């Protein structure tokens, strides 16, 4: 594995699921998932994020055994050629993925820091903010001040992880996880608040619904229609650039090659 580049980092997504909002069903087969992982490494991904449970709004939880069956062979196969992160909310899956070679736990529940601490200093942790759980999170999400509330929550979780002994701690405001489009835009406009905490910031906007809305509006559709997920590349790269310019250190994306090009431009 090569040393980390000086540009902002790009985490490429491989969802080993039947139902993820963007790539659901494409990589459910282990061979297809591993091939996709290798493809995005060739495209320049610094890390591959392997997930076995969709967390899109309304998604039902996946049983532990099924999530393990989906992800562990993929983590094991990719870990010898790239840094692998495991996208999970389950301690059992995090532990098994670490044993298989994952060195980052991408935790959308921000609750697994003790599992990560027990794994020792070679394993890092991403604390992401989500309001409630995927089944209910988009039912009228409400905040006093979305930027302050989310940032306060994340710093509390990150401080707890550091106190427990986790050395590498990332924070992620969780775009689309219990947020209206207006909340998402507020968070994007104030990423500097998260950057100024001193914790490295990860951001995932890639192909998300709110970008489907602006893309459709930009095409002249004003009826709340969404652009299809495979027509959200420009909007996704635009938000990645926006984030990187504000100091976000890693973006989580489906379109790796275009985002690596953008990150290289941002680094100058
Ligand atoms: N978004 C998704 C999943 N995991 N992890 C972090 N840290 N940040 C994110 O914004 C984030 C995440 C949702 O995207 P995807 O995995 O493509 O979809 P699904 O949840 O339907 O599998």
């Amino acid at each position: 594995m090569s040393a980390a580049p000086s540009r902002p980092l790009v985490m490429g997504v491989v969802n080993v699921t039947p139902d993820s909002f963007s790539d659901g069903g494409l990589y459910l087969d282990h061979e297809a998932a591993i091939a996709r992982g290798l493809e995005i490494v060739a495209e320049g991904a610094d890390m591959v994020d392997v997930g076995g449970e969709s967390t899109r709004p309304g998604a039902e939880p996946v049983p532990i055994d099924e999530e393990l069956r989906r992800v562990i062979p993929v983590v094991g196969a990719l870990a010898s050629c790239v840094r692998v992160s495991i996208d999970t909310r389950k301690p059992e899956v995090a532990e098994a993925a670490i044993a298989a070679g994952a060195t980052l736990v991408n935790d959308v529940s921000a609750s697994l820091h003790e599992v990560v601490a027990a794994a020792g200093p070679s394993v890092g942790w991403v604390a992401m903010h989500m309001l409630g759980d995927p089944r209910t999170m988009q039912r009228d999400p409400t905040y006093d001040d979305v930027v302050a509330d989310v940032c306060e929550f994340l710093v509390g979780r990150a401080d707890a992880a550091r106190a427990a002994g986790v050395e590498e701690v990332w924070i992620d405001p969780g775009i689309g996880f219990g947020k209206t489009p207006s909340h998402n835009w507020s968070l994007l406009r104030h990423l500097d608040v998260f950057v100024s905490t001193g914790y490295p910031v990860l951001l995932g906007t890639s192909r998300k619904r709110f970008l489907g809305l602006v893309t459709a509006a930009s095409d002249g559709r004003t009826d709340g229609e969404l652009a299809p997920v495979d027509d959200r590349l420009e909007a996704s790269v635009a938000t990645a650039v926006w984030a990187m310019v504000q100091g976000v250190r890693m973006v989580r994306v489906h379109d790796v090659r275009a985002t690596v090009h953008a990150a290289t431009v941002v680094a100058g």
Side-chain angles (χ1 to χ4, degrees), residues 97-123:
I98 291 166
T103 59
L104 189 68
V105 175
N106 177 20
D107 177 7
V108 303
S109 69
S111 67
L112 301 179
H113 63 279
E114 285 178 1
V115 172
V116 177
S122 62
V123 183

Side-chain angles (χ1 to χ4, degrees), residues 6-18:
S6 54
R7 58 165 172 72
L9 299 176
V10 176
M11 170 190 268
V13 179
V14 178
N15 283 315
V16 195
T17 62

Side-chain angles (χ1 to χ4, degrees), residues 16 26 29 67 88 99-100 110 130 139 145 149 168 178 185 193 195 200 204 211 235 238 246 249 251:
V16 195
L26 291 178
D29 173 73
E67 194 175 328
T88 190
M130 169 167 61
R139 292 184 197 157
D145 173 335
D149 292 2
E168 180 187 359
W185 290 116
V193 172
V195 170
L211 299 179
Q246 288 186 70
R249 296 253 291 273
V251 289

Side-chain angles (χ1 to χ4, degrees), residues 15 20-21 54-56 87 106 172 177 204 208 252 254:
N15 283 315
S20 288
F21 82 94
S54 172
T55 46
R56 73 186 191 291
D87 185 350
N106 177 20
D172 180 339
F177 285 82
K208 284 186 178 171
R252 179 184 182 278
H254 303 87

